[in-house]
Amino acid sequence: YAMHCRAAREFAQEYLDYYFPEAVRKQYGAAIDRHMLRHEIVSTLWTNALVDFGSALLLPRLSMEFNRPVADLCRTHTFALRILGVPRLRRDLIAIEPRLPAKVQYEAFAALEDAAAAATQWLLATFPGDGLHEFLDAGDTVQAWAADLGPLMVQAQTGKRHQETVECAAAWTAAGMPQALAHEIAGMSAQSHVLAAWQLTRETGLGGPQAVAVYFATAEVTGLAEVLAQVADASPQTRWE
């Protein structure tokens, strides 16, 4: 897959850091960079992460829906994960896993993966051609923008989805999840729209806060927010119908 050199190195380094113990990395860091199986190690760990967290059906489903090369699907999904901060939230969840009921763990992980899948689907549907790669190449800019306006996305969400976010965060907190983490993960349903808000700023010249407000207000006023929520909750076959 095509990535900027720096982004590709950082991406690979995360998996290599996970694979090799700290003592090995410190003493043989240069040798790891030249490891003859470096590419295979990263590819295997990346594939395992896609299946373990996103499910074995993620890529086949995306392939059937959007008819893009597997490399494009993998890169797009990884882009969405990074923009939404999912890897960090996964680590935070895993760190407190023993203290949480299994039901809460599952719900929280599912919320993260559903948000990443929704953002991935938006990217693939919005940029069916070469425009996808141009958008993905702006990753650093989009990530900085999303980090600044992420909390605003949750505040701008209205109606049924906003109430569900509040109630979900409260239930997870009561079950033992740290409050800040519960609110951040529960708000991922709103965060998954951050790429659409970013695109709105590019097309209209609106500032970030204005774009977020217009995006959610339009969905609420037109009633599309509720319609899209029902579509998202439906089975894949029903979504197409």
Side-chain angles (χ1 to χ4, degrees), residues 131-145:
L132 174 66
H133 298 292
E134 179 185 348
F135 192 98
L136 299 183
D137 285 341
D140 289 345
T141 303
V142 179
Q143 190 164 14
W145 188 90

Side-chain angles (χ1 to χ4, degrees), residues 11 15 40-56 59 74:
F11 174 81
Y15 286 104
E40 285 73 16
I41 292 171
V42 172
S43 298
T44 300
L45 293 176
W46 185 17
T47 302
N48 288 345
L50 283 170
V51 173
D52 290 347
F53 289 105
S55 88
L59 292 180
C74 290

Side-chain angles (χ1 to χ4, degrees), residues 79-90 93 107-120 146 150-151 153-155 157 161-162 164-166 168-169 172 177 180-195 215-216:
F79 177 90
L81 291 171
R82 287 169 171 270
I83 295 301
L84 297 176
V86 171
R88 172 182 58 81
L89 293 171
R90 283 174 179 167
L93 266 180
E107 290 174 347
F109 278 117
L112 293 178
E113 303 314 316
D114 286 348
T120 301
M153 300 290 295
V154 179
Q155 296 171 16
Q157 194 179 36
R161 285 294 179 179
H162 177 74
E164 289 176 348
T165 296
V166 173
C168 181
W172 289 348
M177 188 182 298
L181 182 62
H183 279 276
E184 191 169 3
I185 297 177
M188 291 301 288
S189 61
Q191 294 271 27
S192 66
H193 298 283
V194 70
L195 297 174
Y215 178 84
F216 281 104

Side-chain angles (χ1 to χ4, degrees), residues 72-126:
D72 285 356
L73 302 179
C74 290
R75 186 188 174 197
T76 303
H77 186 254
T78 300
F79 177 90
L81 291 171
R82 287 169 171 270
I83 295 301
L84 297 176
V86 171
R88 172 182 58 81
L89 293 171
R90 283 174 179 167
R91 291 192 296 270
D92 290 347
L93 266 180
I94 292 171
I96 62 170
E97 210 169 5
R99 308 203 308 263
L100 295 177
K103 179 176 180 292
V104 173
Q105 295 174 29
Y106 176 82
E107 290 174 347
F109 278 117
L112 293 178
E113 303 314 316
D114 286 348
T120 301
Q121 289 174 309
W122 180 88
L123 283 165
L124 294 169
T126 305

